Every structure is written in C-alpha cells, then in structure tokens.
Amino acid sequence: MAPPEPTSVAVPEDVLERIGVLRGRDRTVEELPGGLTNRNYKVTTADGAYVVRVSPEATSELSVDRDHEYRNSVIAARRGI
C-alpha cells in the first residue's frame, strides 16, 4: 500500500519567517504524513527542500526529550532519510 500523497497546506507565515533560510523566499509547502506530536511540512525553495516541524504548546506537558529528537533528526538526515 502506497503512503498517502502530501497535500498543499498553509503554515503560518510567522513560523516560516522565523527560519533564516526560508525568510522572504518564494516557497511551496506540503504537509507530510505521520508525526505523533508535531505537524511536519516539506518546504521547498529554489535552493533546496527543508522539513519544518511545528509543535503545539500542549507537547510541553509530555515527556518528549527534544534534545534526543534533534540528535535523531541529524543522524537521519546524514543517512539520507
């Protein structure tokens, strides 16, 4: 069974404008499926594609170790995942 196709969505502009490589750039945004506590988006500019993860305020009440999450994301990116 194929994964669902990403859908085009609008991420709040203030979120994207806080990210240096995305600030003021023409870009397309697609929501990525999955994610337990975050909304994940693929943001594509003329220079490349990026993943933006948006966490709701309520996740601060969960025992999510953001340092571990960051390290795992770096490892995955280095492996092309």
Side-chain angles (χ1 to χ4, degrees):
M1 181 173 182
E5 290 292 318
T7 55
S8 182
V9 295
V11 178
E13 282 298 309
D14 65 311
V15 171
L16 298 177
E17 288 299 312
R18 286 186 264 167
I19 303 169
V21 297
L22 302 177
R23 188 176 302 121
R25 305 295 310 269
D26 287 333
R27 56 194 173 234
T28 60
V29 180
E30 300 171 62
E31 186 168 7
L32 298 173
L36 298 174
T37 59
N38 304 301
R39 299 294 300 255
N40 301 299
Y41 304 92
K42 177 182 178 185
V43 182
T44 305
T45 70
D47 294 326
Y50 307 88
V51 174
V52 174
R53 299 174 59 210
V54 180
S55 300
E57 292 288 327
T59 60
S60 63
E61 299 170 7
L62 303 173
S63 59
V64 176
D65 187 323
R66 297 295 181 187
D67 290 331
H68 287 170
E69 210 173 31
Y70 172 76
R71 287 193 297 270
N72 289 336
S73 296
V74 170
I75 291 166
R78 287 181 183 150
R79 294 186 175 154
I81 299 171

